[in-house]
Amino acid sequence: MKQQRILYIDPVGVEVVEEGLRFLTEQKQEGTELTLVTLPRGPEHLEYRYYEALVLVDILHLIKQAESKGFDAAVIGCFYDVGLQAAREVAERMAVIAPCEASTHIAATLGDKFSIIVGRRKWIPEMVENVVRYGMKERLASFKSVDLGVLEFHRDEDETARRFREVGQEAVERDGAEVLILGCTATYGFYRELQEELGVPVIDSMIAAFKTAEFAAELKNRLGWSHSKIGGYESPPPGEFSAWRLEEQYDFGDIKTWLQRAKKP
Amino acid sequence: MKQQRILYIDPVGVEVVEEGLRFLTEQKQEGTELTLVTLPRGPEHLEYRYYEALVLVDILHLIKQAESKGFDAAVIGCFYDVGLQAAREVAERMAVIAPCEASTHIAATLGDKFSIIVGRRKWIPEMVENVVRYGMKERLASFKSVDLGVLEFHRDEDETARRFREVGQEAVERDGAEVLILGCTATYGFYRELQEELGVPVIDSMIAAFKTAEFAAELKNRLGWSHSKIGGYESPPPGEFSAWRLEEQYDFGDIKTWLQRAKKP
Amino acid sequence: MKQQRILYIDPVGVEVVEEGLRFLTEQKQEGTELTLVTLPRGPEHLEYRYYEALVLVDILHLIKQAESKGFDAAVIGCFYDVGLQAAREVAERMAVIAPCEASTHIAATLGDKFSIIVGRRKWIPEMVENVVRYGMKERLASFKSVDLGVLEFHRDEDETARRFREVGQEAVERDGAEVLILGCTATYGFYRELQEELGVPVIDSMIAAFKTAEFAAELKNRLGWSHSKIGGYESPPPGEFSAWRLEEQYDFGDIKTWLQRAKKP
Amino acid sequence: MKQQRILYIDPVGVEVVEEGLRFLTEQKQEGTELTLVTLPRGPEHLEYRYYEALVLVDILHLIKQAESKGFDAAVIGCFYDVGLQAAREVAERMAVIAPCEASTHIAATLGDKFSIIVGRRKWIPEMVENVVRYGMKERLASFKSVDLGVLEFHRDEDETARRFREVGQEAVERDGAEVLILGCTATYGFYRELQEELGVPVIDSMIAAFKTAEFAAELKNRLGWSHSKIGGYESPPPGEFSAWRLEEQYDFGDIKTWLQRAKKP
Amino acid sequence: MKQQRILYIDPVGVEVVEEGLRFLTEQKQEGTELTLVTLPRGPEHLEYRYYEALVLVDILHLIKQAESKGFDAAVIGCFYDVGLQAAREVAERMAVIAPCEASTHIAATLGDKFSIIVGRRKWIPEMVENVVRYGMKERLASFKSVDLGVLEFHRDEDETARRFREVGQEAVERDGAEVLILGCTATYGFYRELQEELGVPVIDSMIAAFKTAEFAAELKNRLGWSHSKIGGYESPPPGEFSAWRLEEQYDFGDIKTWLQRAKKP
Amino acid sequence: MKQQRILYIDPVGVEVVEEGLRFLTEQKQEGTELTLVTLPRGPEHLEYRYYEALVLVDILHLIKQAESKGFDAAVIGCFYDVGLQAAREVAERMAVIAPCEASTHIAATLGDKFSIIVGRRKWIPEMVENVVRYGMKERLASFKSVDLGVLEFHRDEDETARRFREVGQEAVERDGAEVLILGCTATYGFYRELQEELGVPVIDSMIAAFKTAEFAAELKNRLGWSHSKIGGYESPPPGEFSAWRLEEQYDFGDIKTWLQRAKKP
């Protein structure tokens, strides 16, 4: 089978975290070529909708660029699944995947109910909206918050692990969860120990999205199953972009050549 | 009572349509000061999620600017309710209103079921998502499409009116609608005739949003009822914006001074 | 703009509570003429469905009388929204509003989830039914009961405020509420302090209904948006009432002339 | 086993229809004593919520009277299930049953989806509300209207049967109904022929309610399973009625002695 | 009225428990002939889906045999309602009833919300699925587990009763339950004391199913209301069974003559 | 990476259809070892729940046998997903996948709404139940039936294709489907042409299940994400099977050695 090329977008304006990259690379299939990029600009986390708004256009342009460079699938690596539907609208031949959708789909096949462990209460309403949209509301046992911001998960990893364990146990014993999801891609690396300690599957949402992207790429390449272009994911007509001179109106920054410079593992 | 100041944002990169402005102005309360702005840049319609993404940041900055200039409420004038939740997140003292939410709330008090008349099939999935989020799914009789783009509604107004009548009648007689909503703010001006012909209330979503904004402004001013800042609408902390030098990273265009130059009726 | 005339019906058989009247009057728009009536007969509270049944016909006749006297909107001032749909059926040109619908609509625009604070557990099932009918079930964080009957809220106001604070805090911290609703019109006067103490919007359902009635009256007068007469709110045909000699069969009491004698603020 | 006494209330102000009485009597169990009453006053049908309001208090008093006379169960014989929950609130030892709840419960055990055949479109929203409250929304294939008022079903019975057949067939073939319900107690007598012609069970809602009342009476007598008095069906406290002199305030008409004069089959 | 013949299947491979049989017999109508059978083989309880799978075919053959012997209704006596829909598919003239459906239908008429008391957490997901399918999810206050296996309920009946009381009280006071259901047919005998102690109806699911079977038998015999044979309950065509020589392929055991040997009370 | 071994069970008592086997084999990953088995006995199709019951135990034993032989995942190849949950209960280290769950999960990522094309109306209620359980009800545009039994799809393939095209087009144009699913594993081979003709993705449910099994196997092997053994998928305790001498009671047929004799591609 032909190689499949996957782009993992960590949609924040920071350097690529080498540890995260290694973490993903370990899990890739042999035939997969993985490229991980962060954005050339942007906030350092996306806890607020305002920050999501800032990075949204850059994500979409990255998606278009990846598509034109022959990528088979892209991951938008934030558990808010920021811009997932817009990305599927603009992509015409490439699969787009995001962590919340991927994780809840997997969790729903592993048990009856799952809980999602998040950093802060603030995140929950937007995530609930996604869980509902994905049809998984009846499978949701609870959201559990550990009261840590995105940038704090790796500050004191023992403390983070302790909090995950505490709320995870509560979710399993009190809320009826049979599976747990770590509801932030920045929580990579914690799932395996937690899984062993609690005796239930713990979904790392970063990996879940990446592996689902490999899966989606294969479905597209083999079977032609890609986003329907009739209805909600209809792409914008090519003429309007230039007729309205959108290129000139906005500063699209470095994003056009960004992929060339992206590090590969 | 003190004057209340309402900003109506027509979130596209075109000149203000004088006819639309007059249309709104006729419906304002005496104590209302209405400002209508379009955007300094952007596509001419928002039928695609990509176009919504392009204008989103400008909308949010306009919201912040309006808040700092003492506006009491703002309307995001697109039936996709683009960025409504993000706008409520960034606004700290100002109400933000959008047409789909406003129209469905009103329609739900006027009858049991309503239908929403849209331009094209493409629009429906995103709108359904909003209707579901607003809790109005059980009240939705149907979506009816007239197969016209946003920019076509006013090309041949007789033909547009004819199509509205045709699908409106179908909605009332076959789908059980008791109320109709015109699901695009660009369809201003058609509601009254349709309402008389079909004998059911027909909600103009542009007016519905504007009047709801006056209502929200009054609730905020009199009673202190404004967006909760605990939970999903928590605003971003002030420090991060400057710490991350976001101002320098992005071209925020003319939006900062845009309101000064906005026409007033 | 023409004056708008609002009738607020406190649907119990007691004297008008002057304090409640003053409370509403403070919140009215300049152009509003407010009339507050209680009923000429009836129980002193409506905690039971039996009591609702007793006052229902008098409410409907008051609605009809108000309509013929030129009122623009009426409020049925009980959080059970007693007879709301029947009143919309009989009213042919007047808007009818009720507190639970009005409060939940407002709350849903201010935050993601709200809790409703009630007096007694007995009230909850009927109110849940309404919340579901209004499409707001997904937005409901919880019902919280303070174990006080309708007539007890103003006996020891400090104690009442203390209990509201206690369950309100619980709702915000444990149940995820971002907004609170005081689920009884007899709890007027408590909202503002609670709002300041808890830092979330607290909806006074008496005011919410009254302000929504002003809003509905304006929509009706300006735009012709009033209850659809096709479908569920179709009014009874005029002939049957007299053909069946219903007037002679029932004692409709003093209700026919009741509005003349109603106190105005 | 002891005799069980069932009261069937036809809640309109007309003479008892002998044919309807015979129809029910044929279906009673040996041990059942059936009493059928109409009301001493009231409209001739209940198609409007206003008419329901008029008869509601008389129904509740009849329920209380029946309870004190030792009836085991009562049926409120209108497919709107008018006052069902209020009646269960006032009844302290007697089961109360109504046709829509009874019919949908039975239909749901006989097939996957059912359709409800009604007289007029006007009826549907109120009935849908009940179907939703009873949890049967997912089982509802469709409502079908034959465009006949309550008083017209027996005018030209051949024509009525023809219309039932027509919409019934449509329901089965196009809407996926596996069971049909005749959604008005005035349609007694049509079910059996329709059932044979269409080859699916057709529920006569008058009989469904009556037989369910026998069932409920037996459950109550044998097993003590009657309406829970904790929560929504808590009865009004005895003291308030007299303290508020409600008896003197209202004209409760002949209802107090009505049961004595009721015809028995 | 003709005698009605009810088969109660206790679908496990054990001897008939005389105490259970007496318990049911006490509750039967005079005109009912009750036959209780267990299976000729099988596990001693059905807590696992695997055990349900083992007994499923024997249950269906017993149903067919009962039908051919003139039974009017059969109960599948396990609160998982194992094979209920398959049994309704194969039965062509006989009603089939099961405890969870029967109990939730009854409970829903007695109060607003009910809780189901189960033995072990393991049972809950399968039962929730059934509660959802029966449309009763909104009525479900909670599941409460007493941490006892099916075979343990009668080991120390005082302890079992104590646990039922404890979780029952919690359900009523904390979860808002107005009615309780004992979610295992092996918990016969406990309902009445619990009901008296807690002051809310407590449904014994074994009796609930049996009495509902009598009810269903009567509806079928009098009114011809039996499982619809159009759609989901369409029976297999007679020819395939023999064409495929299924009889020879499987060991259907003693089930063919099992009913002859069944004990009658 | 280690080889992964997938068992595809075609759960009917017929010879392996070579064409179907080749069809699957073409789609496997290089590292996959595919084994396809049919059952040693059983009906030739599973359109009825009775037939599902007949094959259920053999499926479960095959699952156990496959697990002990080191398979990583198994597919139960029938769109009713027969025994999926029971199989996940008995499997302790192996993933179990089924077509309806797999297809709807994939379809939901490719578009907003999908339609499922089935053979006969009879199938729909059971499939709807599954779609609801999988959370995909809101995504379901419609079921479309082509009026063909399982064994008829390949009799006249042109006619079958014609019918698929006809109802597929209807689904896309009238019902709003953006994706189609062929709701029977026996419809292999038709998807690609249909997909090209209609311009929307068409999911072949046989392939969807098989590819999802590869995906699940990889997730299990790499990440330890397999069915949770806490809650609904808890496996039966090993002791009971032998204590109750279940082996001796039932004829488990040839299933124990069946895998040895299974053909490999």
Side-chain angles (χ1 to χ4, degrees), chain B residues 27-29 110 133 135 139 178 191-192 195 201-202 204 211 218 222-223 225-228 230 232, chain C residues 27-29 110 133 135 139 178 191-192 195 201-202 204 211 218 222-223 225-226 228 230 232:
Chain B
Q27 303 302 346
K28 78 179 194 52
Q29 292 187 347
L110 301 183
R133 177 189 299 146
R139 314 300 286 274
E178 300 171 10
Y191 82 98
R192 197 172 279 271
Q195 182 163 271
V202 178
D204 178 290
K211 299 306 290 180
E218 197 190 337
R222 281 186 188 281
L223 305 156
W225 295 347
S226 56
H227 308 314
S228 179
I230 291 185
Chain C
Q27 303 302 345
K28 78 179 193 55
Q29 293 186 344
L110 302 182
R133 177 189 298 147
R139 314 300 286 273
E178 300 171 11
Y191 82 97
R192 197 173 280 271
Q195 183 163 272
V202 178
D204 178 291
K211 297 307 289 181
E218 197 190 337
R222 280 185 189 281
L223 305 155
W225 295 347
S226 57
S228 179
I230 290 186

Side-chain angles (χ1 to χ4, degrees), chain F residues 147-191:
Chain F
D147 210 19
L148 287 173
V150 166
L151 304 179
E152 295 171 314
F153 288 122
H154 291 280
R155 285 216 183 125
D156 176 349
E157 297 191 339
D158 287 349
E159 173 59 14
T160 301
R162 197 194 58 71
R163 294 194 190 182
F164 282 167
R165 218 157 39 229
E166 188 184 309
V167 300
Q169 199 147 9
E170 246 181 65
V172 171
E173 283 166 18
R174 225 186 293 161
D175 306 338
E178 299 171 11
V179 180
L180 299 175
I181 296 173
L182 296 180
C184 180
T185 51
T187 59
Y188 60 83
F190 289 99
Y191 82 98

Side-chain angles (χ1 to χ4, degrees), chain C residues 102-237:
Chain C
S103 302
T104 55
H105 272 196
I106 291 170
T109 68
L110 302 182
D112 186 61
K113 286 200 182 302
F114 54 79
S115 286
I116 299 178
I117 300 178
V118 297
R120 300 200 307 112
R121 173 187 180 164
K122 155 70 184 161
W123 310 359
I124 298 175
E126 185 170 352
M127 291 178 182
V128 168
E129 245 179 55
N130 284 333
V131 169
V132 169
R133 177 189 298 147
Y134 303 149
M136 297 298 163
K137 208 202 65 177
E138 291 305 311
R139 314 300 286 273
L140 182 70
S142 59
F143 271 91
K144 308 301 279 189
S145 165
V146 294
D147 210 18
L148 287 172
V150 167
L151 303 179
E152 295 171 314
F153 288 122
H154 291 279
R155 286 221 180 121
D156 176 347
E157 297 191 340
D158 287 349
E159 173 59 15
T160 301
R162 198 193 58 71
R163 294 194 191 183
F164 282 166
R165 217 157 39 229
E166 188 183 309
V167 300
Q169 199 147 10
E170 245 181 66
V172 171
E173 282 165 19
R174 225 186 294 159
D175 307 339
E178 300 171 11
V179 181
L180 299 175
I181 296 173
L182 297 181
C184 179
T185 51
T187 59
Y188 60 83
F190 289 99
Y191 82 97
R192 197 173 280 271
E193 206 179 296
L194 198 57
Q195 183 163 272
E196 274 152 25
E197 284 169 351
L198 297 179
V200 296
V202 178
I203 308 300
D204 178 291
S205 53
M206 190 191 201
I207 300 179
F210 171 54
K211 297 307 289 181
T212 300
E214 287 183 325
F215 180 53
E218 197 190 337
L219 296 181
K220 181 186 69 74
N221 290 341
R222 280 185 189 281
L223 305 155
W225 295 347
S226 57
H227 308 314
S228 179
K229 292 284 114 183
I230 290 186
Y233 293 154
E234 185 194 308
S235 302

Side-chain angles (χ1 to χ4, degrees), chain A:
Chain A
M1 204 200 109
K2 95 182 229 302
Q3 282 278 99
Q4 57 194 8
R5 300 177 55 207
I6 309 289
L7 177 68
Y8 186 100
I9 305 169
D10 184 1
V12 282
V14 300
E15 288 289 296
V16 167
V17 179
E18 293 298 327
E19 201 189 337
L21 179 55
R22 267 198 311 277
F23 183 69
L24 271 192
T25 306
E26 278 167 25
Q27 303 302 345
K28 79 179 193 56
Q29 292 187 346
E30 236 168 86
T32 296
E33 183 193 305
L34 164 68
T35 305
L36 187 150
V37 286
T38 53
L39 298 181
R41 57 182 177 181
E44 297 183 14
H45 65 73
L46 300 184
E47 294 191 32
Y48 295 87
R49 286 177 188 267
Y50 175 60
Y51 300 161
E52 293 182 76
L54 283 176
V55 299
L56 181 52
V57 173
D58 285 356
I59 292 173
L60 298 180
H61 287 149
L62 209 44
I63 293 286
K64 284 305 287 179
Q65 195 189 350
E67 184 169 83
S68 75
K69 293 211 169 316
F71 280 84
D72 295 298
V75 172
I76 303 172
C78 169
F79 202 78
Y80 280 146
D81 289 9
V82 49
L84 175 60
Q85 289 163 304
R88 286 175 175 170
E89 181 196 271
V90 301
E92 283 167 291
R93 306 176 302 278
M94 189 178 70
V96 187
I97 295 296
C100 179
E101 190 190 63
S103 301
T104 55
H105 272 195
I106 291 170
T109 67
L110 301 183
D112 186 60
K113 287 201 183 301
F114 54 78
S115 287
I116 299 177
I117 300 178
V118 298
R120 300 200 308 111
R121 174 187 179 164
K122 154 70 184 161
W123 311 358
I124 298 176
E126 185 170 353
M127 290 178 182
V128 168
E129 245 179 57
N130 284 333
V131 169
V132 169
R133 176 189 298 146
Y134 303 148
M136 296 298 164
K137 208 202 63 179
E138 292 304 311
R139 314 300 286 274
L140 182 70
S142 58
F143 270 91
K144 309 301 280 188
S145 166
V146 294
D147 209 19
L148 287 172
V150 167
L151 304 177
E152 295 171 314
F153 288 122
H154 291 280
R155 285 218 182 123
D156 177 348
E157 297 191 341
D158 287 349
E159 173 60 15
T160 301
R162 197 195 59 70
R163 295 194 190 182
F164 283 167
R165 217 157 40 228
E166 188 183 309
V167 301
Q169 199 148 11
E170 246 182 66
V172 171
E173 282 166 19
R174 224 185 295 160
D175 307 338
E178 299 171 10
V179 180
L180 298 175
I181 295 173
L182 297 180
C184 180
T185 51
T187 58
Y188 60 83
F190 289 99
Y191 83 97
R192 197 173 280 271
E193 207 179 294
L194 199 57
Q195 183 163 270
E196 274 152 26
E197 284 169 351
L198 297 179
V200 296
V202 178
I203 308 300
D204 178 290
S205 52
M206 191 191 201
I207 301 179
F210 171 54
K211 297 307 287 180
T212 300
E214 288 182 325
F215 180 52
E218 197 189 338
L219 295 181
K220 180 184 71 73
N221 291 341
R222 280 186 188 281
L223 306 156
W225 295 346
S226 57
H227 309 313
S228 179
K229 292 284 112 182
I230 290 185
Y233 292 153
E234 186 194 307
S235 302
E240 293 182 343
F241 190 84
S242 54
W244 295 337
R245 297 178 307 113
L246 293 172
E247 181 85 47
E248 301 167 33
Q249 296 188 33
Y250 293 92
D251 160 31
F252 293 146
D254 292 333
I255 206 74
K256 287 269 162 100
T257 54
W258 193 244
L259 271 184
Q260 268 95 317
R261 287 178 282 152
K263 237 180 271 186
K264 276 182 213 165

